[in-house]
């Protein structure tokens, strides 16, 4: 009987680890959606979904949403293609900096990206009509999502068995023929999966379209906000929300199916080579290409923050901390940091618990909790935020005013990233070490702390960094929940961009540059902290 107690204890701990993410995500993800449905049903002026879709011209909104998301996905793949080649096959000084430059846009707040492309369109590209409209939106989406394609596809490329390429070359194939016959077929499923992910993210884009669309480009996401907040037409907003959920679920299933078709790869992986002589020319060309797409928008934002009125000035940065006019900005900075830290702790605890359950258990509870934990990454943040507004009216006032509400919502968006980075690391822990520690009398918690935690420490630190920067930049759901004393910096930037006056524009630009700087430092920390093998595994996953 004594020997059975540790096994029972481990099973009990495993069941608890599987239930915690399920309960957390159920409370913060399922409950708001259920509240939306209940409110729509109880509304005295409720109409059928078909009538609500007719009133809101849902088919046109769906067409625009799908069209711009599909175009963004295709363009992102085309722009990322040469960068994927450079990251996957070339070893050169500055490779770390390149990874930071590629990853940085993906973690930037969408409202900051919108501000950056507005600055680019009214500055360097002035007169080309790129300050707003569909063209500006597509360019901003490419800027945001190049990292998705580079991470996913380069991770698969780096794991392709080099002997297969060598065999093709031995049989007389040229380098291009070897790439077309051996490498490309193995990359196509990863390319398709990455494109499906980009489509998913762009179909739920909000901040970029709000700032760059100028009301002329309307998607399901922006119309949900307009119907729910602008007109307070609950049935119409709910009907559009569930139409978008169907779109998101379809994109998730497509990405999952395409990802499963990725061919088996080698653990040895491809060897990156240092270029010589004329081999540096394509490297230089790709670096210029990368800078044009990923650094020029950020540079335009920095320049515009220093020239808000056409002349050089640091007035915008002074306004951030000015005792008279910048108090709200300084308060927002402090609240954003503390809220993001709280969200990071919540995301790491819940995400790590879910990762442990995914790697230790295979039952229905663990699978359901894992699926629900990942789903919020793709579901509309505006839909969630609108659901929270409705839900808080049904709960005690103390719950709706709780200081933990915004950090918990921010953590919900970051949990999938924590899971994605810790599951591959946990899978690399040898089971024999756990068994040996358990045989020496260590309990489940002691085994995890003494065996697993030291081995996944670097990956966990990297996941925590990503969680912090994603929480810091969350905009969609937080827009609905922010109050006077809980306004985050992205929400304040969006508000400043909507106000007239040079001072408001200067403060918005300066605050955006501040967020870019913080995000860049965190991404650099992540790149230094995360082991290369774990990053490749997480990217391929």
């Amino acid at each position: 009987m004594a020997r059975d107690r540790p096994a029972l204890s481990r099973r009990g701990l495993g069941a608890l680890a599987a239930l915690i993410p399920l309960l957390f995500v159920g409370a913060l993800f399922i409950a708001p959606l259920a509240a939306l449905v209940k409110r729509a049903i109880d509304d005295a002026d409720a109409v059928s979904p078909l009538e609500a879709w007719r009133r809101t011209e849902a088919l046109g909104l769906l067409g625009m949403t799908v069209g711009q998301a599909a175009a963004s996905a295709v363009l992102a793949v085309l722009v990322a293609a040469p960068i994927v080649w450079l990251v996957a096959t070339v070893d050169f000084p500055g490779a770390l900096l390149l990874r930071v430059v590629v990853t940085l846009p993906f973690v930037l707040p969408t409202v900051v990206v919108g501000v950056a492309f507005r600055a680019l369109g009214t500055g360097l590209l002035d007169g080309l009509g790129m300050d707003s409209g569909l063209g500006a939106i597509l360019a901003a989406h490419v800027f945001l999502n190049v990292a998705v394609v580079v991470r996913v596809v380069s991770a698969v490329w780096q794991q392709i068995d080099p002997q297969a390429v060598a065999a093709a070359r031995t049989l007389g194939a040229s380098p291009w023929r070897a790439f077309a016959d051996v490498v490309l077929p193995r990359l196509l499923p990863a390319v398709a999966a990455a494109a499906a992910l980009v489509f998913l993210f762009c179909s739920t884009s909000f901040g970029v379209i709000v700032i760059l669309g100028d009301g002329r480009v309307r998607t399901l996401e922006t119309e949900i906000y307009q119907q729910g907040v602008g007109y307070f037409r609950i049935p119409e907003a709910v009907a559009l929300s569930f139409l978008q959920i169907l779109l998101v679920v379809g994109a998730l299933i497509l990405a999952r199916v395409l990802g499963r078709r990725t061919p088996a790869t080698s653990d040895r992986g491809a060897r990156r080579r240092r270029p010589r002589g004329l081999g540096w020319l394509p490297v230089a060309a790709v670096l210029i290409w990368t800078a044009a797409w990923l650094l020029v928008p950020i540079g335009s934002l920095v320049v515009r923050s220093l020239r808000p009125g056409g002349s050089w000035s640091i007035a915008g940065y002074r306004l951030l901390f000015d005792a008279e006019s910048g108090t709200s900005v300084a308060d927002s900075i402090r609240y954003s940091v503390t809220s993001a830290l709280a969200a990071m702790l919540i995301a790491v605890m819940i995400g790590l618990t879910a990762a442990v359950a995914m790697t230790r258990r295979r039952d229905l509870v663990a699978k359901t909790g894992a699926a629900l934990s990942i789903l919020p990454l793709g579901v509309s943040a505006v839909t969630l935020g609108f659901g929270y507004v409705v839900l808080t009216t049904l709960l005690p006032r103390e719950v709706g005013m709780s200081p933990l509400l915004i950090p918990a919502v921010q953590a919900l968006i970051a949990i999938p990233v924590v899971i994605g980075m810790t599951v591959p690391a946990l899978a690399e822990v040898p089971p024999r070490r756990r068994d040996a520690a358990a045989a020496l009398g260590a309990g489940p918690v002691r085994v995890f702390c003494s065996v697993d935690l030291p081995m996944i420490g670097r990956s966990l630190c990297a996941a925590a960094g990503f969680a912090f920067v994603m929480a810091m930049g969350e905009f969609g759901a937080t827009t609905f929940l922010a109050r006077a004393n809980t306004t985050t910096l992205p929400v304040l930037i969006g508000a400043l961009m909507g106000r007239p006056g040079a001072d408001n524009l200067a403060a918005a630009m300066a605050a955006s540059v501040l967020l870019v700087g913080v995000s860049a430092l965190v991404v650099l920390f992540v790149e230094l902290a995360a082991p290369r093998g774990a990053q490749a595994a997480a990217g391929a996953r």
Side-chain angles (χ1 to χ4, degrees):
M1 294 294 293
R3 293 181 178 178
D4 293 337
R5 289 177 182 174
L8 290 173
S9 177
R10 285 195 294 270
R11 284 196 293 269
L13 188 63
L16 180 62
L19 280 173
I20 289 177
L22 186 61
L23 294 175
F24 180 84
V25 177
L28 289 170
F29 180 65
I30 302 298
L33 300 182
L36 278 177
V37 176
K38 183 180 185 303
R39 179 61 180 270
I41 294 174
D42 294 343
D43 196 304
D45 298 325
V47 295
S48 67
L50 292 178
E51 177 62 20
W53 291 339
R54 187 191 65 79
R55 291 183 180 181
T56 57
E57 300 177 344
L59 288 180
L61 295 171
L62 179 62
M64 174 57 72
T65 303
V66 172
Q68 61 85 21
S72 298
V74 172
L75 290 173
V77 170
L78 294 176
V79 170
I83 308 175
V84 170
W85 166 79
L86 185 61
V87 171
T89 64
V90 181
D91 179 23
F92 65 98
L96 172 64
L97 181 60
L98 175 64
R99 292 195 299 270
V100 172
V101 170
V102 169
T103 306
L104 176 61
F106 182 70
V107 299
L108 286 179
T110 55
V111 64
V112 171
V113 175
V115 173
F117 275 83
R118 177 61 65 87
L120 179 63
T122 56
L124 185 63
L125 303 181
D126 189 21
L128 299 180
M130 292 295 293
D131 59 322
S132 62
L134 185 58
I137 290 172
L138 295 179
H141 283 167
V142 170
F143 172 82
L144 274 167
N145 293 290
V146 160
V148 177
V149 182
V150 173
R151 288 276 181 172
V152 173
V153 181
S154 66
V156 174
W157 195 337
Q158 288 172 347
Q159 292 178 312
I160 293 177
D161 191 348
Q163 289 187 352
V165 180
R169 295 296 309 278
T170 302
L171 293 174
S174 65
W176 285 105
R177 180 66 181 271
F179 172 81
D181 291 347
V182 179
V183 178
L184 188 59
R186 290 167 169 80
L187 292 182
L188 286 179
V191 171
L197 286 174
V198 174
F199 175 88
L200 171 67
F201 296 141
C202 294
S203 65
T204 59
S205 177
F206 178 64
V208 167
I209 296 178
V210 165
I211 291 179
L212 298 178
D214 277 348
R216 294 177 288 137
V217 179
R218 297 164 57 225
T219 62
L220 287 173
E221 188 86 346
T222 59
E223 192 64 19
I224 291 168
Y225 182 86
Q226 186 64 33
Q227 293 291 332
V229 176
Y231 305 141
F232 208 70
R233 296 172 180 168
I234 306 299
E236 285 81 355
V238 171
L240 292 175
S241 296
F242 279 91
L243 182 61
Q244 187 172 57
I245 288 175
L246 292 176
L247 176 62
V248 167
V249 170
L252 279 172
I253 294 174
L254 179 62
R256 185 68 172 173
V257 170
L258 293 173
R260 284 179 175 175
R261 294 182 179 178
T262 302
T265 52
S266 170
D267 291 335
R268 288 174 296 179
R271 180 180 299 174
R272 295 192 302 164
R273 296 185 178 182
R274 180 68 63 91
R276 296 179 179 178
L278 295 178
W280 282 102
L281 292 179
V283 173
V286 175
L287 291 176
I288 294 172
W289 174 263
T290 305
W293 278 98
L294 303 182
L295 289 182
V296 169
I298 295 176
S300 298
L301 176 63
V302 174
V303 171
R304 187 63 183 273
S305 72
L306 295 172
R307 298 188 64 185
S311 58
W312 295 99
S313 170
I314 59 171
Y317 294 90
R318 289 175 179 169
L319 288 171
L320 295 182
F321 304 99
D322 185 76
E324 297 180 1
S325 59
T327 303
S328 61
V329 179
D331 290 343
S332 292
I333 294 172
R334 285 192 292 268
Y335 179 76
S336 294
V337 172
T338 55
S339 176
L341 288 173
M344 179 190 72
L345 293 175
I346 296 172
V348 168
M349 290 188 294
I350 301 298
L352 182 58
T353 304
V356 170
M358 291 173 64
T359 53
R360 306 286 180 84
R361 297 171 62 91
R362 294 293 185 267
D363 56 16
L364 181 61
V365 175
K367 292 180 179 179
T368 304
L372 287 177
S373 298
I374 296 173
L375 191 59
L377 185 63
V379 173
S380 163
V382 169
T383 298
L384 285 176
F386 186 41
Y388 290 127
V389 172
V390 176
L391 181 62
T392 53
T393 64
L394 305 175
L395 298 175
R397 184 177 182 274
E398 291 76 11
V399 176
M401 300 300 292
S402 172
L404 287 177
L405 182 58
I406 289 180
V409 173
Q410 293 171 337
L412 185 70
I413 308 300
I415 284 173
V417 176
V418 177
I419 294 175
M421 298 189 70
T422 52
V423 165
L426 285 170
E428 295 295 323
V429 178
R432 293 182 179 179
R433 294 194 180 185
R434 300 191 187 109
D435 296 339
L440 294 174
V445 176
R446 180 70 179 276
V447 170
F448 178 79
C449 294
S450 60
V451 177
D452 294 78
L453 203 56
M455 296 191 67
I456 69 169
R458 289 171 64 90
S459 295
L460 191 60
C461 288
F466 263 124
F468 173 81
V469 76
M470 291 184 72
M472 187 89 171
E474 206 290 316
F475 177 68
T478 309
T479 303
F480 290 84
L481 301 174
R483 304 290 184 268
N485 60 339
T486 59
T487 300
T488 62
L489 199 52
V491 174
L492 184 62
I493 291 172
L496 290 172
M497 287 296 295
R499 300 174 187 171
D503 288 346
N504 289 322
L505 178 62
M509 294 288 180
S512 299
V513 172
L514 179 63
L515 272 179
V516 170
V518 171
S519 301
L521 290 176
V522 174
V523 171
L524 177 61
F525 165 77
V526 169
E527 290 291 342
L528 293 174
R532 296 266 66 80
Q535 285 197 8
R541 195 176 182 86

